[in-house]
Amino acid sequence: QQQVRQSPQSLTVWEGETAILNCSYEDSTFNYFPWYQQFPGEGPALLISIRSVSDKKEDGRFTIFFNKREKKLSLHITDSQPGDSATYFCAALASSGSWQLIFGSGTQLTVMP
Amino acid sequence: DPKIIQKPKYLVAVTGSEKILICEQYLGHNAMYWYRQSAKKPLEFMFSYSYQKLMDNQTASSRFQPQSSKKNHLDLQITALKPDDSATYFCASSQDAGGYEQYFGPGTRLTVL
């Protein structure tokens, strides 16, 4: 049972466009949602995160929009650059006390110059 | 300088053997984790430790044993290796208990023949 779902599986945008990556979850007790960026051969790097008490979090070109009622969130990358080409993972923190992050399957983003 | 060190970067083992994956973090964090990433599944949580105490174990098999000799070390011993154990194993850490703001190491890619 996949508790965190991501779409699309892959996304291609042109340089300068806004890339929109989607994520949804099932467990209403999830309260913290980080996004990770991963390049081939490297570990996931924490990019930006949001807690369920907020509906928006911005950090430079990266913005998370969060809809608690619909259990959905999205990552917007504005002015996309070729260097943003990577796999992006949405995750959720299980609130059962185990401290485990539950990851989605990822969105592979390609930014064309 | 890398803040989370994982050794080795690549590891090849034969079925039935035993290996130890090394993880050291120099972020001054109090909690450490192990995750596994394979081609078939998203990043999967395995263990969480806080102040060298096991907090959660989501690994069904006792063949996987974390070992913490110091607060900033969390090694992973895997016995009776199987081809299905082939994956990249990531160590992560966070400042405090609770699982927020987890930072990942570069990973150890294990191949079991």
Side-chain angles (χ1 to χ4, degrees):
Chain A
Q1 181 185 359
Q2 192 171 2
Q3 297 189 60
V4 176
R5 296 178 186 273
Q6 289 188 246
S7 64
Q9 191 172 4
S10 62
L11 176 65
T12 299
V13 299
W14 293 102
E15 183 174 356
E17 292 185 334
T18 297
I20 299 176
L21 289 66
N22 300 304
C23 181
S24 64
Y25 61 98
E26 297 174 6
D27 191 330
S28 58
T29 65
F30 290 166
N31 61 7
Y32 168 73
F33 303 88
W35 284 84
Y36 286 84
Q37 178 190 58
Q38 186 177 30
F39 295 104
E42 298 183 10
L46 181 60
L47 190 62
I48 186 173
S49 62
I50 194 167
R51 301 207 183 195
S52 59
V53 293
S54 301
D55 55 14
K56 182 180 176 182
K57 177 81 173 287
E58 240 177 301
D59 185 357
R61 297 186 295 110
F62 301 92
T63 302
I64 300 174
F65 293 92
F66 179 68
N67 186 322
K68 188 173 183 177
R69 183 179 60 84
E70 294 187 7
K71 298 181 188 172
K72 291 181 179 179
L73 58 158
S74 59
L75 175 67
H76 292 225
I77 306 174
T78 58
D79 188 26
S80 296
Q81 302 297 309
D84 296 331
S85 298
T87 300
Y88 292 81
F89 292 97
C90 172
L93 183 64
S95 57
S96 58
S98 73
W99 309 350
Q100 64 168 305
L101 287 175
I102 298 171
F103 282 82
S105 300
T107 292
Q108 188 169 355
L109 174 67
T110 302
V111 181
M112 302 293 289
Chain B
D1 290 337
K3 301 298 185 183
I4 300 180
I5 297 172
Q6 289 191 245
K7 294 184 240 184
K9 176 73 173 172
Y10 301 99
L11 188 56
V12 179
V14 297
T15 297
S17 66
E18 172 183 314
K19 292 293 180 186
I20 295 179
L21 282 57
I22 306 294
C23 177
E24 307 169 8
Q25 57 91 4
Y26 295 95
L27 294 164
H29 288 172
N30 298 311
M32 296 185 72
Y33 314 80
W34 277 102
Y35 288 81
R36 172 169 54 191
Q37 186 176 43
S38 67
K40 301 175 186 176
K41 297 181 181 180
L43 274 151
E44 292 179 282
F45 171 88
M46 299 179 74
F47 301 98
S48 60
Y49 263 68
S50 177
Y51 292 97
Q52 296 182 265
K53 287 179 61 177
L54 178 66
M55 303 306 295
D56 191 24
N57 177 357
Q58 294 289 329
T59 303
S61 174
S62 60
R63 297 187 298 109
F64 295 85
Q65 291 293 326
Q67 300 171 343
S68 181
S69 59
K70 293 189 245 185
K71 192 181 88 168
N72 68 326
H73 278 236
L74 186 62
D75 299 336
L76 180 64
Q77 179 184 39
I78 314 174
T79 58
L81 279 160
K82 303 177 180 180
D84 268 356
D85 297 332
S86 297
T88 300
Y89 291 81
F90 291 103
C91 174
S93 68
S94 64
Q95 177 66 54
D96 299 309
Y100 301 99
E101 307 284 328
Q102 293 184 30
Y103 293 88
F104 284 72
T108 291
R109 186 169 178 177
L110 172 65
T111 302
V112 183
L113 304 174

